[in-house]
């Protein structure tokens, strides 16, 4: 019913930048919160950044001042601008979104399949 597709991952040197995008499509009435998570090898998935429909944001301490989350409600898309990347930022990055499929429905959290970000030292 709903798909979230991430793009923009890749290999970058330490100190470089990448911009991730995540577009939601399908049966969507409204999207509330959207976010980015990441999972490094051998570690648990962790929240990187979140953004409400009105644009309020929150960040993990490890990325504050380096990453910026934003969204385009008209395009059902969330972005993550990542600057000053470090090797410890290497992970698979996943987006998620809380979506109402129709009027009166309950919100469902959907996940993308992830995009790999590799930061070389």
């Amino acid at each position: 019913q709903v798909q979230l597709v991430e793009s923009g991952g890749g290999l970058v040197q330490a100190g470089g930048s990448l911009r991730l995008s995540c577009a939601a499509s399908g049966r969507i009435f409204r999207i509330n919160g959207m976010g980015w998570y990441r999972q490094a090898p051998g570690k648990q998935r962790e929240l990187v950044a979140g953004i409400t429909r009105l644009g309020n944001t929150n960040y993990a301490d490890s990325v504050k001042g380096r990453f910026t989350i934003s969204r385009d409600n008209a395009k059902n898309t969330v972005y993550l601008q990542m600057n000053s990347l470090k090797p410890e930022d290497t992970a698979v990055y996943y987006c998620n979104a809380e979506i109402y499929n129709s009027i009166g429905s309950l919100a469902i959290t959907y996940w993308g399949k992830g995009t790999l970000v590799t930061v070389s030292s």
Side-chain angles (χ1 to χ4, degrees):
Q1 288 189 340
V2 172
Q3 280 190 320
L4 271 62
V5 179
E6 301 102 335
S7 61
L11 174 64
V12 64
Q13 288 188 332
S17 299
L18 284 174
R19 189 189 193 214
L20 306 183
S21 300
C22 173
S25 62
R27 191 180 178 203
I28 299 171
F29 168 66
R30 189 178 72 194
I31 302 177
N32 277 357
M34 304 184 82
W36 288 97
Y37 286 72
R38 68 186 180 186
Q39 187 166 18
K43 295 187 177 181
Q44 290 187 332
R45 190 174 297 189
E46 63 176 358
L47 173 68
V48 176
I51 185 168
T52 68
R53 181 172 180 81
L54 296 180
N56 297 312
T57 59
N58 64 288
Y59 296 92
D61 287 343
S62 59
V63 306
K64 283 181 181 177
R66 300 188 298 123
F67 291 9
T68 303
I69 189 171
S70 61
R71 64 189 285 175
D72 184 332
N73 290 333
K75 296 181 179 180
N76 292 333
T77 299
V78 63
Y79 306 95
L80 186 68
Q81 178 66 44
M82 305 186 294
N83 298 329
S84 303
L85 283 161
K86 304 175 181 180
E88 51 262 44
D89 294 318
T90 295
V92 177
Y93 284 71
Y94 300 89
C95 71
N96 81 344
E98 186 183 47
I99 296 175
Y100 293 89
N101 298 122
S102 61
I103 296 175
S105 68
L106 296 175
I108 299 174
T109 298
Y110 293 89
W111 290 86
K113 294 183 178 180
T115 185
L116 177 63
V117 172
T118 304
V119 184
S120 63
S121 57

